[in-house]
Amino acid sequence: MGTEEPADPRRTIELLWGVAGPPRRGPKPKLSVEHVVFAGIRVADAEGLDAVTMRRIADELGVATMSLYTYVPGRDELLELMLDHAHGELPGELPEGWRAGLAAVAEDLWRLYHRHPWLLEIRVGRPTLGPHTFAKYERELAAMDELDLDDVQLDAIVSLLNGLVAGAARGSVDAARAARRNGMTDLDWWRRSAPVLAEIPAADPARFPRASRVGTAAGQTYGGSSDPEHNFRFGLERILDGIGQLAGV
């Protein structure tokens, strides 16, 4: 079996940075790349990432599907453009101090994921080489300017922080979707599940003493089976503590 021809990133990078393509003959285009990206974001916000297809975006813009390909090569490229544009919503300024700066970076990203939950579903596989994504990375690194760490450590901290926020935000978004889907809050779900579990002999708490003790204590604190926002803030504080220890501050 043959292998697929590797994709050429040139056109995507040019689109991300607004580099004009070769001039085309004929009438002036009715739309722009920005129109297509904004339409993709509107659809993703309202209907989820799966709804973002070239046909659906064409319907949103009131044009023929094939006409979109004169602006964006395909869905994969559109998703990268949407991702980079969303990163442009992150603020640029930072509070004083490395700890406050990194906390702001994490909090801003947490809010961004809740405004655009579809960002958590995009799987581009490689970094998006766009201006807003570069600015995001630059800001994350700038928050640590006062720390005496090498470049590889700085990059690893950025990855660690992004992983924490994405994981916790995914749990938060999934819980909210489940509540909308079945009409039960996390607390409602647990109140219905616990009595059923108690009827099963094999699920005797004496068999799982640690899970029973810790789960009960956590559930009483959270008011449900979990609290992604608590996990996010707890994890963030532990990461910041570890960075401080690593940097000797």
Side-chain angles (χ1 to χ4, degrees):
M1 294 179 63
T3 59
E4 291 185 8
E5 189 72 19
D8 182 359
R10 171 178 290 277
R11 185 56 186 144
T12 301
I13 294 172
E14 290 176 343
L15 287 169
L16 286 163
W17 290 88
V19 177
R24 295 192 299 265
R25 295 181 179 180
K28 183 179 180 180
K30 296 180 180 180
L31 302 173
S32 66
V33 173
E34 288 73 19
H35 284 115
V36 179
V37 174
F38 294 157
I41 291 174
R42 286 198 304 273
V43 170
D45 284 344
E47 304 173 33
L49 194 66
D50 287 345
V52 179
T53 64
M54 299 299 275
R55 176 176 293 182
R56 177 67 184 84
I57 303 308
D59 290 343
E60 178 77 8
L61 293 169
V63 298
T65 302
M66 290 305 298
S67 69
L68 287 190
Y69 292 95
T70 63
Y71 305 98
V72 179
R75 184 177 186 269
D76 289 345
E77 292 81 4
L78 174 57
L79 294 183
E80 286 208 57
L81 290 163
M82 291 166 55
L83 174 65
D84 189 68
H85 187 275
H87 285 164
E89 297 179 21
L90 293 167
E93 70 282 356
L94 286 167
E96 291 291 329
W98 70 268
R99 191 174 183 113
L102 285 177
V105 164
E107 294 279 358
D108 291 336
L109 190 56
W110 170 268
R111 287 189 287 270
L112 182 68
Y113 282 143
H114 284 82
R115 284 199 304 276
H116 303 301
W118 49 269
L119 288 169
L120 295 162
E121 302 173 31
I122 292 181
R123 301 288 186 269
V124 293
R126 295 185 176 93
T128 294
L129 304 178
H132 300 304
T133 304
F134 272 48
K136 171 181 176 292
Y137 186 47
E138 181 74 14
R139 180 178 184 249
E140 293 163 342
L141 294 171
M144 296 181 282
D145 276 351
E146 67 189 85
L147 298 180
D148 185 19
L149 297 172
D150 66 43
D151 289 348
V152 175
Q153 289 173 325
L154 294 173
D155 180 74
I157 288 170
V158 169
S159 296
L160 179 64
L161 201 63
N162 275 269
L164 167 73
V165 181
R170 189 171 291 111
S172 176
V173 167
D174 287 348
R177 285 174 175 166
R180 289 194 300 269
R181 187 169 57 249
N182 57 34
M184 285 192 296
T185 66
D186 196 43
L187 182 57
D188 293 333
W189 172 83
W190 182 246
R191 283 173 174 167
R192 294 189 185 187
S193 300
V196 178
L197 200 60
E199 297 172 3
I200 301 174
D204 186 347
R207 185 181 178 191
F208 308 102
R210 300 171 188 80
S212 178
R213 185 189 76 247
V214 174
T216 298
Q220 289 173 347
T221 299
Y222 302 151
S225 62
S226 66
D227 184 345
E229 185 168 357
H230 171 273
N231 295 340
F232 161 60
R233 301 194 191 289
F234 178 85
L236 176 59
E237 288 300 311
R238 302 294 76 74
I239 287 175
L240 295 177
D241 290 344
I243 293 170
Q245 185 175 4
L246 177 66
V249 295

